[in-house]
Every structure is written in structure tokens, then in C-alpha cells.
Amino acid sequence: MSEEIWNKRAGREVRKIDHELFERTVLPYINSAHNLARWLTRNEHDAEDMVQEAFLRALRSFDTFTAGRDARAWFLTIVRNSCRTWHRQYRSHETSMEWDMDAQPAVTAWSDPEAVLIKNANSQLIRRAMEQLPFEYREILILRELEELSYKEIAQIVEVPLGTVMSRLSRARKELYIRLGQPTGEMGV
Amino acid sequence: MSCQEVCEFLDAYVDKELDVFTSSQFDRHLTECAACRAKYDQYQQMHDSVRVHMEYFPASEEFVQKLRAQLHQSGRRPAENIRRSWFPQWRVWAMAASVVAVLLLTAVLLRMVRRPSSSDVLAEEVVSSHIRSLLANHLSDVVSSDQHTVKPWFSGKLDFAPLVKDLSSKGFPLAGGRLDYLDDRPVAALVYKRRQHTINLFLWPSSASNSRPRTLTIRGYNVVHWTHSHMAYWAVSDVNAGDLGEFAHDLED
Ligand SMILES: [Zn+2]
């Protein structure tokens, strides 16, 4: 099969892609993409692999991206999905969120005396606590706290209803804060 | 607003995702309730402190250069094809076919595993949709107290025609409607009022046989579910269970 036919069969109009437009659309969000991938894979090497993979995937599906749409959300969705596949493949043994975790009643009270306010929250502590959280909690926390996306944008990227974003974010924060409130060195749960 | 609702909306308030009305009610509760105010202050402080100290990992300059170079190279000849050219094409298709088969099997298995508690999960989903609808700009896509305006609005948007009843004489005036998504399908959401409370009524076609209204309480909200003439009905609200039962009864009449 010639390359041309292959491209056609795969629905790719590779030659038609405007590479300059692609660069202008996607590169402004390369830091957001890297930051998300870095938190999701928890190491630099895999983060770069994921961003590179997402970059190529985005290029291939650029013809389906219509101008005027939110490019950041579009690109971050691809990055997130790459990381998710990677996580399922290589980190499936880790504690992952049960599929029905969102259906459990939320931790309603924020009055846990153990969860004392940390006066000297430092980056290293936060990183260690974050790295123990399930994938689903990490992604939602990064998208909200660091990328400052709205619930609606997060719902699109993570592909869950808005109400789930709300309850999952609430649970993720409480999990994180409770871990941070525990004395150093005893965070392993 | 109750202390429990303050708990429920705490994150949405911190994130400024509440609509103006709910947000002002939240404010008012904080000025009146010292316990919630203390809880909120602590939560907000914790949140700000974590956010400030959370690291951000930008891409390195070399990495961005590498991506750029790859892009320009693929401008001449797609990078994907360079990587794949040694790989026999029939193998690609065979692999794709087996991936599809595995995905289908997984989907079937997942459905089988999930089925037992699907109704509880659905009830949770319904409550989440209700809470979400109370957030900014989400209550109604069509705002009208007239059933003859609301009903036609759905035509062409759904694969069924929802029954829209006028219950204003029973003390449940219609406020509007919108499309929602539940049970893996688009559904009709009708918005009714009971004094200052909001009732969301979700309905969609169902193969289940008729069932009498059943009342549940989930996360402080009352939920009534019944099936009638091959339609599933879910009513959710913070009105008391008696009022909601009455609402279900009036609808069934
Ligand atoms: Zn209170």
C-alpha cells in the first residue's frame, strides 16, 4: 500500500495540515501540557514522552479541530488521555480510584482535628502528599489549582458530569489536606 | 441556607463557581453562623497555602526545541510514517482489529459488573445533576411557566416528547426546562418551583414496568423515583419529602 493510500484510509490529510497554524495553536500551551503530564506520571522522562506523544496525536487530528474552539482544553484532553493510557498500562497495580468512588457520600465535615492547618506548607511536602493520591484526584487538582480551569472546562477534559467534578474535587482536596496535616514521615497510608 | 449546604457548596464557593444568588446566601450564612465561618476561614487558608506552594513544571527549552524540530520535519514527511514504514501494513490493521475486539469485550464485561447497583448509582447521578443545575446558568435552557412553550422546545432535541404538565394550581408552578444527560443518554429536565425551592424533574423512556413512587434521601436531598407508561421519572429537591411525594402524586394524576 502506498503511503498516500495509507494516509487516506486512516482518515489523515497530513499534507493539508498547516504546520505554522498548528504551532501557533498548540505551542502556547506546551507548559500547561508538560505540567499536567509531569504531575500525572510523576517523573520527567515519562512526562516528556507523554507530551511528545500528545503533540503528534494533536497534529494528526488537527483537521478535526475547528478554529475558535478552546485550544488549551482540546490539547490538554489529548495529553490527559495519553497519560491515562500510560497509567493503565504501567501503573495499574497502584491504588486507583474505584469506579463508584464518586457515588460515595462526600466527606461532609471539615472539622477533623487531625487536619490541622499547616503553617509551613512547603512544596516538597505537597509533592509527596500529591504523589500518593489516585490519578483521578491528581488530575482534577492540577487542572483546578494550577491551570485554574473552570468546573465546566474540567468536566470536558476529564469527561465526567459537572456535578462529579464538584464532588470529586471536594474529596480530592480533603484527602490532600488530611495527608498534609499528618506529622512528617507518617504519610504512608 | 443550612450548615449542611454550606459544607456541600464550600468548594464551589472557594472556586467562585456558585451563581450570584446562592453565593449571596452563602455569604449571609457566614455572617450569621460563627461555626461555619471558622470552618470556611480554615478551609480557604489551607486552600490558598497549598495553591501557592504547589510546584509548576514548565517544559524545558530544549524539549520545546525538539518538538519544533520534529514538527518541521513532519512538515516535509509525516513523522508517524517514518516511524511506521518498517511495519507491515496488514499488521497494523490486524492489531487494530484485536484492539477493537478487546474494547468491545471490556465494554460488555463492565456493563455486566456494573448492573447490580446501577439504580443507586443513577440516584446519585440524579442528585449530582440537581446540584449542578443550581450552579450558574444551568437551571433552564428555556425559561417559561407555560407548558405550551416548554414542551415544543424539546422537539428535535430529544428522541421522545416529554409530557409537560401545568401544576401551578397545585402549588408547583413550572419554571422552565433544559436538556440533561443521565443514564448514558440525553434526558428532559423540567424545573418546577415550590415556594422558593427548586424541583428538578428528570424523565426519559424506560423499558421497566410501572412502579409506584419510591422516596430516598441522598446527601440531604429528597428523591422520588417512579416509572409510568414506559417513562422513568426522577424528582429531586430540597423540599420536604411530603411535598415531593405530593408533587409525584399530582404528576401521576
Ligand atoms: Zn452554619
Side-chain angles (χ1 to χ4, degrees), chain B residues 1-4 6 29 33-37:
Chain B
M1 186 177 279
S2 65
C3 295
Q4 206 204 329
V6 164
H29 185 97
C33 175
C36 283
R37 193 166 59 244

Side-chain angles (χ1 to χ4, degrees), chain A residues 14 23 31 34-35 39 52 60 103 108 110 121 127 144-148 151 161-162 170 173 177, chain B residues 7 11 15 17 39 42 47 49 51 53 55-59 68 70 72 78 80 83 124 131-132:
Chain A
V14 186
E23 201 174 324
N31 285 338
H34 183 271
N35 180 53
W39 278 104
Q52 186 179 2
R60 287 197 303 258
T108 40
W110 173 245
R127 198 203 288 199
R144 176 61 218 165
E145 313 294 35
L146 292 181
E147 295 305 327
E148 300 183 354
Y151 286 6
L162 210 63
S170 175
R173 278 185 180 143
Y177 298 172
Chain B
C7 265
D11 289 275
D15 292 323
E17 291 265 349
K39 197 188 291 179
Q42 195 198 13
H47 171 259
S49 160
R51 204 159 120 153
H53 291 97
E55 292 160 279
Y56 196 92
F57 299 103
R68 271 220 178 85
Q70 253 181 0
H72 293 144
E80 179 67 7
R83 240 208 286 165
E124 282 287 345
I131 296 173
R132 170 181 60 188

Side-chain angles (χ1 to χ4, degrees), chain B residues 28-205:
Chain B
R28 215 181 66 198
H29 185 97
L30 289 190
T31 60
E32 289 163 356
C33 175
C36 283
R37 193 166 59 244
K39 197 188 291 179
Y40 161 73
D41 282 343
Q42 195 198 13
Y43 199 72
Q44 179 78 60
Q45 245 179 303
M46 189 81 180
H47 171 259
D48 293 347
S49 160
V50 166
R51 204 159 120 153
V52 166
H53 291 97
M54 208 178 244
E55 292 160 279
Y56 196 92
F57 299 103
S60 71
E61 192 52 44
E62 303 86 77
F63 179 61
V64 176
Q65 288 312 328
K66 189 175 134 195
L67 288 181
R68 271 220 178 85
Q70 253 181 0
L71 181 63
H72 293 144
Q73 191 191 8
S74 74
R76 289 189 295 277
R77 190 154 178 263
E80 179 67 7
N81 292 326
I82 297 173
R83 240 208 286 165
R84 279 230 175 126
S85 52
W86 57 270
F87 211 63
Q89 301 300 351
W90 65 268
R91 281 195 159 203
V92 175
W93 289 106
M95 267 170 61
S98 62
V99 166
V100 168
V102 169
L103 283 178
L104 279 174
L105 187 65
T106 313
V108 169
L109 285 175
L110 272 178
R111 282 203 88 86
M112 282 164 64
V113 172
R114 284 182 186 204
R115 192 152 292 162
S117 56
S118 63
S119 146
D120 299 339
V121 173
L122 189 54
E124 282 287 345
E125 236 188 280
V126 164
V127 170
S128 289
S129 275
H130 175 74
I131 296 173
R132 170 181 60 188
S133 77
L134 300 174
L135 294 174
N137 307 325
H138 233 277
L139 203 48
S140 300
D141 291 329
V142 52
V143 181
S144 172
S145 58
D146 182 3
Q147 67 197 103
H148 304 296
T149 306
V150 175
K151 190 185 160 85
W153 180 84
F154 284 105
S155 67
K157 297 185 177 73
L158 290 171
D159 56 0
F160 64 97
L163 182 68
V164 182
K165 262 193 165 177
D166 179 11
L167 295 176
S168 52
S169 62
K170 312 268 186 180
F172 298 105
L174 183 66
R178 68 174 190 284
L179 287 181
D180 216 309
Y181 200 84
L182 286 168
D183 201 20
D184 294 329
R185 58 157 301 141
V187 305
L190 301 176
V191 183
Y192 287 90
K193 288 282 175 187
R194 177 66 154 189
R195 297 181 298 275
Q196 77 278 28
H197 302 279
T198 299
I199 301 172
N200 264 296
L201 175 70
F202 301 98
L203 55 153
W204 65 92

